[in-house]
Amino acid sequence: METERPDLGAMVMRLGRRLIAMEEPILARHGVTMWAYVVLTGLRDSPTRTQAALAQSIGADKTRLIPILDDLQKRGLIEREPDPADRRARLLGLTAAGTELHRAIQAEIRVAEAGLLKDVDGDAFVAALRALS
Amino acid sequence: METERPDLGAMVMRLGRRLIAMEEPILARHGVTMWAYVVLTGLRDSPTRTQAALAQSIGADKTRLIPILDDLQKRGLIEREPDPADRRARLLGLTAAGTELHRAIQAEIRVAEAGLLKDVDGDAFVAALRALS
DNA sequence: TATTGTTATACTCTATAACTATA
DNA sequence: TATAGTTATAGAGTATAACAATA
Protein backbone atom coordinates (compact mmCIF):
# COMPACT_ATOMS: atom_id res chain seq x y z
CA MET A 1 0.00 0.00 0.00
CA GLU A 2 1.33 3.33 -1.03
CA THR A 3 1.16 6.46 1.07
CA GLU A 4 0.06 9.85 -0.26
CA ARG A 5 2.71 11.24 -2.56
CA PRO A 6 3.20 13.85 -5.28
CA ASP A 7 2.64 12.84 -8.88
CA LEU A 8 5.53 11.06 -10.51
CA GLY A 9 5.77 13.82 -13.09
CA ALA A 10 6.12 16.51 -10.46
CA MET A 11 8.87 14.63 -8.65
CA VAL A 12 10.76 13.78 -11.82
CA MET A 13 10.61 17.39 -12.96
CA ARG A 14 11.91 18.64 -9.63
CA LEU A 15 14.74 16.15 -9.75
CA GLY A 16 15.47 17.18 -13.32
CA ARG A 17 15.80 20.81 -12.29
CA ARG A 18 18.04 19.79 -9.44
CA LEU A 19 20.29 17.79 -11.76
CA ILE A 20 20.51 20.66 -14.24
CA ALA A 21 21.43 23.04 -11.44
CA MET A 22 24.10 20.56 -10.40
CA GLU A 23 25.53 20.14 -13.90
CA GLU A 24 25.40 23.73 -15.06
CA PRO A 25 28.44 24.96 -13.08
CA ILE A 26 30.47 22.00 -14.30
CA LEU A 27 29.53 22.68 -17.91
CA ALA A 28 30.17 26.40 -17.53
CA ARG A 29 33.61 25.74 -16.10
CA HIS A 30 34.39 23.80 -19.28
CA GLY A 31 32.83 26.42 -21.51
CA VAL A 32 30.03 24.33 -22.99
CA THR A 33 26.28 24.65 -22.89
CA MET A 34 23.93 21.84 -21.98
CA TRP A 35 23.06 21.27 -25.63
CA ALA A 36 26.73 21.22 -26.63
CA TYR A 37 27.38 18.57 -23.99
CA VAL A 38 24.41 16.57 -25.24
CA VAL A 39 25.87 16.76 -28.75
CA LEU A 40 29.29 15.61 -27.57
CA THR A 41 27.64 12.72 -25.74
CA GLY A 42 25.59 11.80 -28.79
CA LEU A 43 28.67 11.76 -31.03
CA ARG A 44 30.68 9.73 -28.56
CA ASP A 45 27.94 7.12 -28.38
CA SER A 46 27.61 6.82 -32.13
CA PRO A 47 30.32 8.72 -33.95
CA THR A 48 29.24 8.87 -37.56
CA ARG A 49 25.93 10.23 -38.71
CA THR A 50 24.19 12.93 -40.65
CA GLN A 51 23.25 16.06 -38.74
CA ALA A 52 19.58 15.22 -39.09
CA ALA A 53 20.10 11.80 -37.54
CA LEU A 54 22.09 13.29 -34.69
CA ALA A 55 19.36 15.86 -34.10
CA GLN A 56 16.72 13.17 -33.91
CA SER A 57 18.78 10.94 -31.64
CA ILE A 58 19.23 13.67 -29.07
CA GLY A 59 15.70 15.03 -29.40
CA ALA A 60 16.59 18.38 -30.92
CA ASP A 61 15.52 20.13 -34.08
CA LYS A 62 18.06 19.99 -36.91
CA THR A 63 18.05 23.77 -37.22
CA ARG A 64 18.90 24.18 -33.57
CA LEU A 65 21.94 22.00 -34.01
CA ILE A 66 23.68 24.21 -36.53
CA PRO A 67 25.02 27.04 -34.34
CA ILE A 68 26.05 24.44 -31.77
CA LEU A 69 27.97 22.42 -34.35
CA ASP A 70 29.49 25.63 -35.77
CA ASP A 71 30.87 26.48 -32.37
CA LEU A 72 32.12 23.00 -31.53
CA GLN A 73 33.83 22.76 -34.89
CA LYS A 74 35.45 26.18 -34.57
CA ARG A 75 36.84 25.07 -31.21
CA GLY A 76 38.25 21.88 -32.71
CA LEU A 77 36.06 19.58 -30.64
CA ILE A 78 34.27 17.88 -33.52
CA GLU A 79 35.03 16.89 -37.09
CA ARG A 80 32.45 17.77 -39.68
CA GLU A 81 33.25 17.08 -43.29
CA PRO A 82 31.18 16.35 -46.36
CA ASP A 83 30.69 12.65 -46.97
CA PRO A 84 32.69 11.85 -50.14
CA ALA A 85 30.03 9.33 -51.11
CA ASP A 86 27.20 11.87 -50.74
CA ARG A 87 28.40 15.41 -50.49
CA ARG A 88 25.07 16.63 -49.16
CA ALA A 89 25.74 14.88 -45.87
CA ARG A 90 28.26 15.85 -43.21
CA LEU A 91 30.20 13.15 -41.43
CA LEU A 92 30.36 13.98 -37.75
CA GLY A 93 32.71 12.78 -35.07
CA LEU A 94 34.63 13.84 -32.01
CA THR A 95 38.21 14.98 -32.30
CA ALA A 96 40.71 13.82 -29.70
CA ALA A 97 40.16 17.13 -27.91
CA GLY A 98 36.40 16.61 -28.01
CA THR A 99 36.68 13.10 -26.66
CA GLU A 100 38.89 14.29 -23.84
CA LEU A 101 36.64 17.23 -22.99
CA HIS A 102 33.61 14.99 -22.85
CA ARG A 103 35.43 12.50 -20.67
CA ALA A 104 36.52 15.19 -18.24
CA ILE A 105 33.04 16.70 -17.96
CA GLN A 106 31.32 13.37 -17.55
CA ALA A 107 33.79 12.34 -14.86
CA GLU A 108 32.90 15.45 -12.84
CA ILE A 109 29.21 14.86 -13.37
CA ARG A 110 29.56 11.29 -12.12
CA VAL A 111 31.22 12.51 -8.94
CA ALA A 112 28.39 14.99 -8.37
CA GLU A 113 25.80 12.30 -9.10
CA ALA A 114 27.39 9.99 -6.57
CA GLY A 115 27.09 12.71 -3.96
CA LEU A 116 23.42 13.02 -4.73
CA LEU A 117 22.76 9.28 -4.74
CA LYS A 118 24.60 8.48 -1.54
CA ASP A 119 21.45 8.87 0.56
CA VAL A 120 19.42 6.35 -1.43
CA ASP A 121 19.88 2.90 -2.91
CA GLY A 122 21.65 4.24 -5.95
CA ASP A 123 22.07 1.01 -7.87
CA ALA A 124 18.39 0.11 -7.58
CA PHE A 125 17.31 3.63 -8.43
CA VAL A 126 19.52 3.80 -11.50
CA ALA A 127 18.38 0.37 -12.65
CA ALA A 128 14.74 1.38 -12.41
CA LEU A 129 15.45 4.71 -14.08
CA ARG A 130 17.21 2.98 -16.98
CA ALA A 131 14.25 0.68 -17.45
CA LEU A 132 11.78 3.56 -17.41
CA SER A 133 13.64 6.07 -19.58
CA MET B 1 30.59 -1.68 -9.45
CA GLU B 2 28.45 0.18 -11.88
CA THR B 3 28.18 -0.59 -15.56
CA GLU B 4 28.35 2.07 -18.26
CA ARG B 5 25.16 4.10 -18.26
CA PRO B 6 23.76 7.41 -19.53
CA ASP B 7 24.00 10.44 -17.30
CA LEU B 8 21.35 10.70 -14.64
CA GLY B 9 20.17 13.98 -16.10
CA ALA B 10 19.66 12.47 -19.54
CA MET B 11 17.63 9.58 -18.14
CA VAL B 12 15.55 11.79 -15.88
CA MET B 13 14.78 14.15 -18.75
CA ARG B 14 13.74 11.27 -21.00
CA LEU B 15 11.48 9.91 -18.28
CA GLY B 16 10.07 13.37 -17.74
CA ARG B 17 9.15 13.66 -21.40
CA ARG B 18 7.59 10.25 -21.26
CA LEU B 19 5.49 11.18 -18.24
CA ILE B 20 4.34 14.41 -19.85
CA ALA B 21 3.34 12.51 -22.98
CA MET B 22 1.42 10.13 -20.75
CA GLU B 23 -0.37 12.87 -18.81
CA GLU B 24 -1.17 15.22 -21.65
CA PRO B 25 -4.07 13.22 -23.12
CA ILE B 26 -5.60 12.85 -19.66
CA LEU B 27 -5.35 16.57 -19.01
CA ALA B 28 -6.69 17.41 -22.47
CA ARG B 29 -9.67 15.14 -21.94
CA HIS B 30 -10.49 17.17 -18.83
CA GLY B 31 -9.84 20.47 -20.59
CA VAL B 32 -6.92 21.66 -18.50
CA THR B 33 -3.33 22.50 -19.35
CA MET B 34 -0.35 21.18 -17.44
CA TRP B 35 0.07 24.50 -15.63
CA ALA B 36 -3.61 24.60 -14.70
CA TYR B 37 -3.29 21.13 -13.22
CA VAL B 38 -0.20 22.20 -11.32
CA VAL B 39 -2.17 25.15 -9.94
CA LEU B 40 -5.05 22.92 -8.86
CA THR B 41 -2.57 20.60 -7.16
CA GLY B 42 -0.86 23.50 -5.43
CA LEU B 43 -4.14 24.86 -4.12
CA ARG B 44 -5.29 21.48 -2.92
CA ASP B 45 -2.07 20.99 -0.99
CA SER B 46 -2.25 24.39 0.67
CA PRO B 47 -5.54 26.15 0.02
CA THR B 48 -5.05 29.73 1.10
CA ARG B 49 -2.31 31.97 -0.16
CA THR B 50 -1.52 35.05 -2.14
CA GLN B 51 -0.98 34.62 -5.86
CA ALA B 52 2.69 35.45 -5.48
CA ALA B 53 3.14 32.73 -2.86
CA LEU B 54 1.34 30.21 -5.04
CA ALA B 55 3.52 31.17 -7.99
CA GLN B 56 6.66 30.64 -5.99
CA SER B 57 5.49 27.34 -4.53
CA ILE B 58 4.87 25.83 -7.94
CA GLY B 59 7.94 27.37 -9.55
CA ALA B 60 6.14 29.75 -11.89
CA ASP B 61 6.34 33.47 -12.45
CA LYS B 62 3.46 35.45 -10.91
CA THR B 63 2.62 37.03 -14.25
CA ARG B 64 2.29 33.65 -15.87
CA LEU B 65 -0.26 32.63 -13.29
CA ILE B 66 -2.79 35.30 -14.11
CA PRO B 67 -4.37 34.01 -17.33
CA ILE B 68 -4.42 30.53 -15.78
CA LEU B 69 -6.24 31.78 -12.68
CA ASP B 70 -8.59 33.84 -14.85
CA ASP B 71 -9.61 30.73 -16.74
CA LEU B 72 -9.95 28.49 -13.69
CA GLN B 73 -12.06 31.12 -11.94
CA LYS B 74 -14.30 31.66 -14.97
CA ARG B 75 -14.91 27.92 -15.03
CA GLY B 76 -15.81 27.85 -11.36
CA LEU B 77 -12.89 25.65 -10.35
CA ILE B 78 -11.22 28.07 -7.96
CA GLU B 79 -12.29 30.80 -5.59
CA ARG B 80 -10.36 34.04 -5.75
CA GLU B 81 -11.55 36.92 -3.64
CA PRO B 82 -9.85 39.93 -2.10
CA ASP B 83 -8.69 39.33 1.44
CA PRO B 84 -10.95 41.50 3.64
CA ALA B 85 -8.01 42.14 5.93
CA ASP B 86 -5.79 43.35 3.05
CA ARG B 87 -7.67 44.00 -0.11
CA ARG B 88 -4.51 43.98 -2.21
CA ALA B 89 -4.23 40.21 -1.73
CA ARG B 90 -6.44 37.54 -3.26
CA LEU B 91 -7.47 34.55 -1.18
CA LEU B 92 -7.27 31.44 -3.33
CA GLY B 93 -8.86 28.05 -2.92
CA LEU B 94 -10.48 25.21 -4.80
CA THR B 95 -14.23 25.08 -5.22
CA ALA B 96 -16.03 21.77 -4.81
CA ALA B 97 -15.92 21.41 -8.58
CA GLY B 98 -12.22 22.16 -8.61
CA THR B 99 -11.53 19.62 -5.90
CA GLU B 100 -13.49 16.98 -7.76
CA LEU B 101 -11.83 17.73 -11.08
CA HIS B 102 -8.40 17.49 -9.52
CA ARG B 103 -9.32 14.22 -7.83
CA ALA B 104 -10.59 12.72 -11.08
CA ILE B 105 -7.51 13.75 -13.06
CA GLN B 106 -5.09 12.57 -10.41
CA ALA B 107 -6.86 9.23 -10.19
CA GLU B 108 -6.37 8.68 -13.90
CA ILE B 109 -2.76 9.73 -13.69
CA ARG B 110 -2.17 7.26 -10.88
CA VAL B 111 -3.58 4.44 -12.99
CA ALA B 112 -1.29 5.40 -15.86
CA GLU B 113 1.68 5.66 -13.49
CA ALA B 114 0.98 2.19 -12.15
CA GLY B 115 1.06 0.84 -15.69
CA LEU B 116 4.46 2.42 -16.16
CA LEU B 117 5.86 1.23 -12.86
CA LYS B 118 4.70 -2.35 -13.10
CA ASP B 119 7.96 -3.48 -14.71
CA VAL B 120 10.17 -2.13 -11.93
CA ASP B 121 10.22 -2.11 -8.14
CA GLY B 122 7.79 0.78 -7.96
CA ASP B 123 7.81 1.31 -4.22
CA ALA B 124 11.58 1.47 -4.01
CA PHE B 125 11.78 3.72 -7.04
CA VAL B 126 9.18 6.12 -5.71
CA ALA B 127 10.83 6.18 -2.29
CA ALA B 128 14.19 7.10 -3.82
CA LEU B 129 12.58 9.65 -6.08
CA ARG B 130 10.83 11.30 -3.15
CA ALA B 131 14.09 11.52 -1.29
CA LEU B 132 15.90 13.03 -4.27
CA SER B 133 13.30 15.50 -5.45
C1' DT C 1 12.00 15.25 -57.93
C1' DA C 2 13.92 14.22 -53.37
C1' DT C 3 17.18 15.01 -49.65
C1' DT C 4 20.89 17.48 -46.65
C1' DG C 5 22.13 21.31 -44.71
C1' DT C 6 21.35 26.21 -44.07
C1' DT C 7 19.06 30.69 -43.46
C1' DA C 8 15.12 33.53 -42.52
C1' DT C 9 11.00 33.93 -40.23
C1' DA C 10 7.37 33.24 -36.99
C1' DC C 11 5.63 31.43 -32.89
C1' DT C 12 5.57 30.07 -27.98
C1' DC C 13 7.08 30.51 -23.56
C1' DT C 14 8.92 33.13 -20.04
C1' DA C 15 10.62 37.08 -17.60
C1' DT C 16 11.15 42.23 -17.00
C1' DA C 17 9.27 46.71 -16.61
C1' DA C 18 5.62 49.79 -16.05
C1' DC C 19 1.02 50.66 -14.05
C1' DT C 20 -3.13 50.47 -10.68
C1' DA C 21 -4.97 49.75 -6.25
C1' DT C 22 -4.47 49.32 -1.80
C1' DA C 23 -1.74 49.81 2.53
C1' DT D 1 6.90 54.37 0.37
C1' DA D 2 5.97 49.72 -0.16
C1' DT D 3 3.36 45.64 -1.71
C1' DA D 4 -0.26 42.57 -4.50
C1' DG D 5 -1.95 42.12 -8.61
C1' DT D 6 -2.23 43.29 -13.44
C1' DT D 7 -0.91 44.72 -18.14
C1' DA D 8 2.42 45.69 -21.73
C1' DT D 9 6.67 44.73 -23.58
C1' DA D 10 10.84 42.40 -24.59
C1' DG D 11 13.75 38.41 -24.65
C1' DA D 12 15.02 33.47 -25.13
C1' DG D 13 14.13 29.21 -27.05
C1' DT D 14 12.06 26.60 -30.43
C1' DA D 15 9.84 25.26 -34.67
C1' DT D 16 8.24 26.22 -39.51
C1' DA D 17 9.02 27.70 -44.11
C1' DA D 18 11.87 28.98 -47.79
C1' DC D 19 16.36 28.35 -50.05
C1' DA D 20 20.84 26.39 -52.05
C1' DA D 21 23.54 22.42 -53.10
C1' DT D 22 23.71 17.75 -54.35
C1' DA D 23 21.72 13.43 -55.69
Side-chain angles (χ1 to χ4, degrees), chain B residues 5-22:
Chain B
R5 63 159 173 83
D7 292 329
L8 230 47
M11 291 192 290
V12 166
M13 284 302 160
R14 271 203 297 278
L15 176 56
R17 281 196 287 267
R18 190 177 172 193
L19 288 168
I20 288 174
M22 184 191 83

mmCIF file of all heavy atoms in Angstrom, chain B residues 5-22:
data_model
loop_
_atom_site.group_PDB
_atom_site.id
_atom_site.type_symbol
_atom_site.label_atom_id
_atom_site.label_comp_id
_atom_site.label_asym_id
_atom_site.label_seq_id
_atom_site.Cartn_x
_atom_site.Cartn_y
_atom_site.Cartn_z
ATOM 1 N N ARG B 5 26.567 3.680 -18.167
ATOM 2 C CA ARG B 5 25.157 4.102 -18.264
ATOM 3 C C ARG B 5 25.085 5.561 -18.705
ATOM 4 O O ARG B 5 26.064 6.299 -18.588
ATOM 5 C CB ARG B 5 24.471 3.938 -16.902
ATOM 6 C CG ARG B 5 25.069 4.804 -15.820
ATOM 7 C CD ARG B 5 24.101 5.018 -14.687
ATOM 8 N NE ARG B 5 24.703 5.707 -13.556
ATOM 9 C CZ ARG B 5 24.848 7.025 -13.467
ATOM 10 N NH1 ARG B 5 24.477 7.799 -14.463
ATOM 11 N NH2 ARG B 5 25.384 7.573 -12.390
ATOM 12 N N PRO B 6 23.919 5.986 -19.205
ATOM 13 C CA PRO B 6 23.761 7.405 -19.530
ATOM 14 C C PRO B 6 23.834 8.245 -18.264
ATOM 15 O O PRO B 6 23.671 7.739 -17.153
ATOM 16 C CB PRO B 6 22.355 7.472 -20.137
ATOM 17 C CG PRO B 6 22.006 6.079 -20.520
ATOM 18 C CD PRO B 6 22.737 5.195 -19.557
ATOM 19 N N ASP B 7 24.048 9.533 -18.438
ATOM 20 C CA ASP B 7 24.002 10.442 -17.297
ATOM 21 C C ASP B 7 22.619 10.423 -16.665
ATOM 22 O O ASP B 7 21.603 10.268 -17.337
ATOM 23 C CB ASP B 7 24.313 11.876 -17.755
ATOM 24 C CG ASP B 7 25.749 12.028 -18.206
ATOM 25 O OD1 ASP B 7 26.616 11.323 -17.669
ATOM 26 O OD2 ASP B 7 26.012 12.863 -19.107
ATOM 27 N N LEU B 8 22.616 10.612 -15.369
ATOM 28 C CA LEU B 8 21.350 10.703 -14.635
ATOM 29 C C LEU B 8 20.425 11.750 -15.259
ATOM 30 O O LEU B 8 19.219 11.511 -15.448
ATOM 31 C CB LEU B 8 21.660 11.098 -13.190
ATOM 32 C CG LEU B 8 21.049 10.292 -12.047
ATOM 33 C CD1 LEU B 8 21.215 8.803 -12.274
ATOM 34 C CD2 LEU B 8 21.633 10.712 -10.708
ATOM 35 N N GLY B 9 20.987 12.896 -15.540
ATOM 36 C CA GLY B 9 20.172 13.984 -16.096
ATOM 37 C C GLY B 9 19.492 13.579 -17.397
ATOM 38 O O GLY B 9 18.310 13.876 -17.608
ATOM 39 N N ALA B 10 20.229 12.887 -18.256
ATOM 40 C CA ALA B 10 19.660 12.470 -19.539
ATOM 41 C C ALA B 10 18.499 11.495 -19.315
ATOM 42 O O ALA B 10 17.444 11.603 -19.948
ATOM 43 C CB ALA B 10 20.744 11.821 -20.398
ATOM 44 N N MET B 11 18.690 10.573 -18.395
ATOM 45 C CA MET B 11 17.630 9.584 -18.138
ATOM 46 C C MET B 11 16.411 10.229 -17.500
ATOM 47 O O MET B 11 15.263 9.928 -17.845
ATOM 48 C CB MET B 11 18.175 8.463 -17.247
ATOM 49 C CG MET B 11 19.201 7.594 -17.943
ATOM 50 S SD MET B 11 19.591 6.079 -17.026
ATOM 51 C CE MET B 11 20.497 6.740 -15.633
ATOM 52 N N VAL B 12 16.667 11.125 -16.553
ATOM 53 C CA VAL B 12 15.547 11.786 -15.877
ATOM 54 C C VAL B 12 14.761 12.645 -16.866
ATOM 55 O O VAL B 12 13.524 12.676 -16.840
ATOM 56 C CB VAL B 12 16.075 12.630 -14.698
ATOM 57 C CG1 VAL B 12 15.004 13.586 -14.192
ATOM 58 C CG2 VAL B 12 16.538 11.714 -13.576
ATOM 59 N N MET B 13 15.477 13.322 -17.757
ATOM 60 C CA MET B 13 14.778 14.146 -18.747
ATOM 61 C C MET B 13 13.948 13.278 -19.693
ATOM 62 O O MET B 13 12.823 13.640 -20.037
ATOM 63 C CB MET B 13 15.798 14.967 -19.547
ATOM 64 C CG MET B 13 16.352 16.147 -18.768
ATOM 65 S SD MET B 13 15.009 17.262 -18.218
ATOM 66 C CE MET B 13 15.812 18.156 -16.890
ATOM 67 N N ARG B 14 14.520 12.158 -20.114
ATOM 68 C CA ARG B 14 13.742 11.271 -21.000
ATOM 69 C C ARG B 14 12.493 10.762 -20.292
ATOM 70 O O ARG B 14 11.405 10.712 -20.867
ATOM 71 C CB ARG B 14 14.607 10.085 -21.458
ATOM 72 C CG ARG B 14 15.380 10.359 -22.735
ATOM 73 C CD ARG B 14 15.758 9.064 -23.455
ATOM 74 N NE ARG B 14 16.648 8.243 -22.664
ATOM 75 C CZ ARG B 14 17.972 8.416 -22.587
ATOM 76 N NH1 ARG B 14 18.541 9.403 -23.263
ATOM 77 N NH2 ARG B 14 18.713 7.617 -21.846
ATOM 78 N N LEU B 15 12.657 10.369 -19.028
ATOM 79 C CA LEU B 15 11.484 9.907 -18.278
ATOM 80 C C LEU B 15 10.469 11.028 -18.111
ATOM 81 O O LEU B 15 9.258 10.799 -18.220
ATOM 82 C CB LEU B 15 11.925 9.369 -16.911
ATOM 83 C CG LEU B 15 10.803 8.940 -15.968
ATOM 84 C CD1 LEU B 15 9.903 7.890 -16.605
ATOM 85 C CD2 LEU B 15 11.375 8.414 -14.644
ATOM 86 N N GLY B 16 10.969 12.229 -17.869
ATOM 87 C CA GLY B 16 10.065 13.371 -17.741
ATOM 88 C C GLY B 16 9.235 13.575 -18.999
ATOM 89 O O GLY B 16 8.018 13.770 -18.927
ATOM 90 N N ARG B 17 9.896 13.508 -20.147
ATOM 91 C CA ARG B 17 9.153 13.664 -21.403
ATOM 92 C C ARG B 17 8.129 12.547 -21.567
ATOM 93 O O ARG B 17 7.013 12.772 -22.042
ATOM 94 C CB ARG B 17 10.127 13.662 -22.596
ATOM 95 C CG ARG B 17 10.826 14.994 -22.793
ATOM 96 C CD ARG B 17 11.470 15.087 -24.175
ATOM 97 N NE ARG B 17 12.664 14.248 -24.274
ATOM 98 C CZ ARG B 17 13.902 14.687 -24.036
ATOM 99 N NH1 ARG B 17 14.100 15.934 -23.677
ATOM 100 N NH2 ARG B 17 14.931 13.879 -24.163
ATOM 101 N N ARG B 18 8.515 11.370 -21.149
ATOM 102 C CA ARG B 18 7.588 10.247 -21.260
ATOM 103 C C ARG B 18 6.369 10.453 -20.369
ATOM 104 O O ARG B 18 5.234 10.169 -20.756
ATOM 105 C CB ARG B 18 8.333 8.962 -20.861
ATOM 106 C CG ARG B 18 7.559 7.702 -21.160
ATOM 107 C CD ARG B 18 8.381 6.466 -20.803
ATOM 108 N NE ARG B 18 7.570 5.257 -20.924
ATOM 109 C CZ ARG B 18 7.930 4.067 -20.447
ATOM 110 N NH1 ARG B 18 9.105 3.930 -19.837
ATOM 111 N NH2 ARG B 18 7.148 3.026 -20.588
ATOM 112 N N LEU B 19 6.597 10.945 -19.161
ATOM 113 C CA LEU B 19 5.486 11.182 -18.242
ATOM 114 C C LEU B 19 4.566 12.285 -18.754
ATOM 115 O O LEU B 19 3.341 12.184 -18.650
ATOM 116 C CB LEU B 19 6.032 11.539 -16.852
ATOM 117 C CG LEU B 19 6.657 10.377 -16.083
ATOM 118 C CD1 LEU B 19 7.420 10.887 -14.871
ATOM 119 C CD2 LEU B 19 5.588 9.387 -15.642
ATOM 120 N N ILE B 20 5.165 13.332 -19.304
ATOM 121 C CA ILE B 20 4.341 14.411 -19.854
ATOM 122 C C ILE B 20 3.491 13.876 -21.002
ATOM 123 O O ILE B 20 2.286 14.170 -21.092
ATOM 124 C CB ILE B 20 5.237 15.574 -20.323
ATOM 125 C CG1 ILE B 20 5.796 16.304 -19.095
ATOM 126 C CG2 ILE B 20 4.459 16.538 -21.205
ATOM 127 C CD1 ILE B 20 6.806 17.377 -19.417
ATOM 128 N N ALA B 21 4.102 13.087 -21.865
ATOM 129 C CA ALA B 21 3.339 12.512 -22.979
ATOM 130 C C ALA B 21 2.204 11.640 -22.466
ATOM 131 O O ALA B 21 1.134 11.560 -23.072
ATOM 132 C CB ALA B 21 4.272 11.706 -23.882
ATOM 133 N N MET B 22 2.445 10.992 -21.339
ATOM 134 C CA MET B 22 1.420 10.130 -20.747
ATOM 135 C C MET B 22 0.286 10.950 -20.141
ATOM 136 O O MET B 22 -0.889 10.579 -20.246
ATOM 137 C CB MET B 22 2.086 9.282 -19.662
ATOM 138 C CG MET B 22 1.201 8.261 -19.007
ATOM 139 S SD MET B 22 2.027 7.577 -17.533
ATOM 140 C CE MET B 22 1.638 8.830 -16.302
#
